[in-house]
Structures are given as structure tokens and as C-alpha cells.
């Protein structure tokens, strides 16, 4: 014997099923329904993939930022090592030449000073300190300039004399350089310095980079 309540509940369930079927058949044909279901499943899958891709991309970007930071720190550390000190060497007399000439100093610590061109190219922006010293015998005048790109920064002079056979001089400067700025020593035309005995030197050091 089935109770009235059970009958009511069964009828209600049947009604619900009928409504669901009607709704499905009303909104689409059976094949279409199948397709829509599959399409919905694909869309869900795509959403999951997209979410996971976004997460991966975020993780990659974070890693990339960390790596960039590390590279910058390493570059900064490397930059602290910029230093060179170069005696002219090679010959008794450098000059006299008929034109202003860049002195090529012979030895080098670090890679910033080019021994072939005589030009120091700032590897990083920063505050640098440069010094130069020379020796000359008085047979010619001396006219030396520490150059930053095409600008004369500091100079040292001496006159041509027959009685004063041992001239020594020099100068120094702090320079604020941008990366790639050139610093070099220019010997004025018709003048000379002594290249031998490590007596004519050019040195530079990076004090700090910003
Ligand atoms: Ca002199």
C-alpha cells in the first residue's frame, strides 16, 4: 500500500523530470544538445588551461624580475672594480708630433682602458677619479690635457729650456661620467713627454656609481 505522501512525492518527481526534458527539447534539438554539452565542457577546459597559463606567466614574470635584479646587482659589483693605471713606456720620448695626439699608455688593469686607442670608456655612469704624471727633459715644451670627450678638463705645462733637464708634473680630477664617456690624455703638438722608466702615467678609478 503506497501512502498518499509517497504518491505525491513520486508525482512531483515525475513532473520535475518532464519539465527538465521539455526545457531541453524546447531549447535545442537532441544532436544540438549533445554538441552544446560538449562545447560547454570544452569551454570549461579552456578556462582551466587559461587560468593555469596565467599563473605560469605570472610565475615566469616574477622569476624574470628576480633575474634582472640579480644581473643589475652583479653589474654594479663588477662596476666597483673599474680601475686602471698605465705607464706610457715603450720609447724614450713620446712626441713631438705635428698635431695634438692621444697618448697610448701601455699597461692596464681591467678592461675599461683601451691600450690600442689610449681611450678610457666609462663602462658605467658614476663618479671617477683620474690622475696623470709626466716626466720630460726640457728639450721640448710640455702641454698635456686630461680630456673628457672633446672637453679639456685639467692640464699640465712646462717650457722648453736648455738648463732645466728634469721636469715633472701632473694633475688630477674628479669626473662625473655617463656610460660610454671617453677620457684620455692629449699631448699638444710640438711637445713631448718621457715614455720610459714608468714615470709618465695615467690612472683612473670608479669611486661610486649612482
Ligand atoms: Ca721646466
Amino acid at each position: 500500500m503506497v501512502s498518499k505522501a509517497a504518491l505525491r512525492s513520486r508525482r512531483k518527481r515525475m513532473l520535475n523530470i518532464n519539465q527538465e526534458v521539455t526545457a531541453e527539447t524546447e531549447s535545442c534539438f537532441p544532436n544540438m544538445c549533445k554538441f552544446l554539452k560538449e562545447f560547454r565542457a570544452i569551454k570549461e577546459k579552456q578556462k582551466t588551461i587559461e587560468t593555469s597559463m596565467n599563473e605560469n606567466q605570472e610565475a615566469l614574470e616574477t622569476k624574470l624580475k628576480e633575474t634582472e635584479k640579480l644581473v643589475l646587482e652583479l653589474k654594479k659589483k663588477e662596476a666597483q672594480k673599474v680601475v686602471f693605471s698605465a705607464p706610457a713606456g715603450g720609447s724614450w720620448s713620446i712626441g713631438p708630433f705635428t698635431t695634438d695626439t692621444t697618448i697610448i699608455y701601455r699597461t692596464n688593469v681591467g678592461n675599461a682602458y683601451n691600450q690600442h686607442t689610449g681611450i678610457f670608456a666609462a663602462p658605467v655612469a658614476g663618479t671617477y677619479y683620474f690622475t696623470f704624471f709626466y716626466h720630460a727633459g726640457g728639450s721640448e715644451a710640455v702641454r698635456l690635457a686630461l680630456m673628457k670627450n672633446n672637453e679639456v678638463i685639467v692640464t699640465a705645462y712646462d717650457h722648453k729650456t736648455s738648463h732645466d733637464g728634469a721636469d715633472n708634473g701632473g694633475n688630477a680630477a674628479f669626473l662625473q661620467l655617463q656610460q660610454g664617456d671617453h677620457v684620455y690624455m692629449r699631448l699638444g703638438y710640438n711637445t713631448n713627454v718621457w715614455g720610459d722608466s714608468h714615470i709618465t702615467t695615467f690612472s683612473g678609478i670608479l669611486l661610486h656609481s649612482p
Side-chain angles (χ1 to χ4, degrees):
M1 181 83 178
V2 184
S3 72
K4 275 186 182 177
L7 271 173
R8 225 178 291 133
S9 155
R10 198 181 294 165
R11 219 176 293 136
K12 200 176 176 187
R13 242 182 294 139
M14 283 301 288
L15 194 68
N16 282 345
I17 289 166
N18 280 342
Q19 276 172 349
E20 272 171 29
V21 171
T22 317
E24 289 266 292
T25 44
E26 261 176 12
S27 56
C28 58
F29 294 109
N31 279 347
M32 194 61 148
C33 284
K34 197 180 163 212
F35 170 75
L36 281 174
K37 258 185 206 164
E38 281 170 7
F39 182 68
R40 241 177 265 136
I42 289 169
K43 278 208 108 178
E44 281 303 316
K45 227 177 215 173
Q46 190 193 0
K47 209 182 269 175
T48 315
I49 291 170
E50 273 174 6
T51 312
S52 119
M53 273 175 77
N54 282 342
E55 281 168 6
N56 278 344
Q57 195 167 343
E58 272 169 33
L60 271 174
E61 275 170 11
T62 312
K63 267 259 154 67
L64 190 65
K65 270 180 199 158
E66 279 169 12
T67 312
E68 277 172 354
K69 206 174 149 194
L70 196 67
V71 169
L72 278 178
E73 275 169 19
L74 285 172
K75 264 190 179 172
K76 214 169 184 182
K77 264 189 192 165
E78 197 52 39
Q80 306 306 328
K81 292 180 191 164
V82 178
V83 57
F84 74 95
S85 193
S91 66
W92 288 100
S93 175
I94 299 171
F97 304 112
T98 51
T99 54
D100 291 351
T101 304
T102 301
I103 297 183
I104 296 178
Y105 296 81
R106 300 293 170 184
T107 58
N108 185 20
V109 180
N111 300 319
Y113 178 75
N114 186 322
Q115 290 176 76
H116 304 290
T117 61
I119 291 170
F120 171 87
V124 290
T127 307
Y128 289 78
Y129 184 61
F130 294 93
T131 65
F132 66 91
F133 294 95
Y134 75 87
H135 172 81
S139 60
E140 306 290 339
V142 175
R143 204 164 70 252
L144 267 179
L146 174 74
M147 304 290 294
K148 174 187 167 185
N149 300 322
N150 293 319
E151 185 189 347
V152 174
I153 303 296
V154 286
T155 55
Y157 292 101
D158 197 52
H159 301 286
K160 183 175 178 175
T161 52
S162 54
H163 60 278
D164 176 15
D167 293 322
N168 292 281
N171 216 328
F174 290 98
L175 281 179
Q176 200 66 46
L177 299 182
Q178 295 305 313
Q179 188 180 17
D181 273 348
H182 286 175
V183 179
Y184 55 97
M185 290 305 307
R186 197 178 67 185
L187 180 70
Y189 67 93
N190 291 340
T191 73
N192 83 331
V193 290
W194 221 239
D196 196 39
S197 307
H198 294 185
I199 205 163
T200 293
T201 62
F202 178 36
S203 308
I205 185 168
L206 172 65
L207 299 178
H208 58 84
S209 54

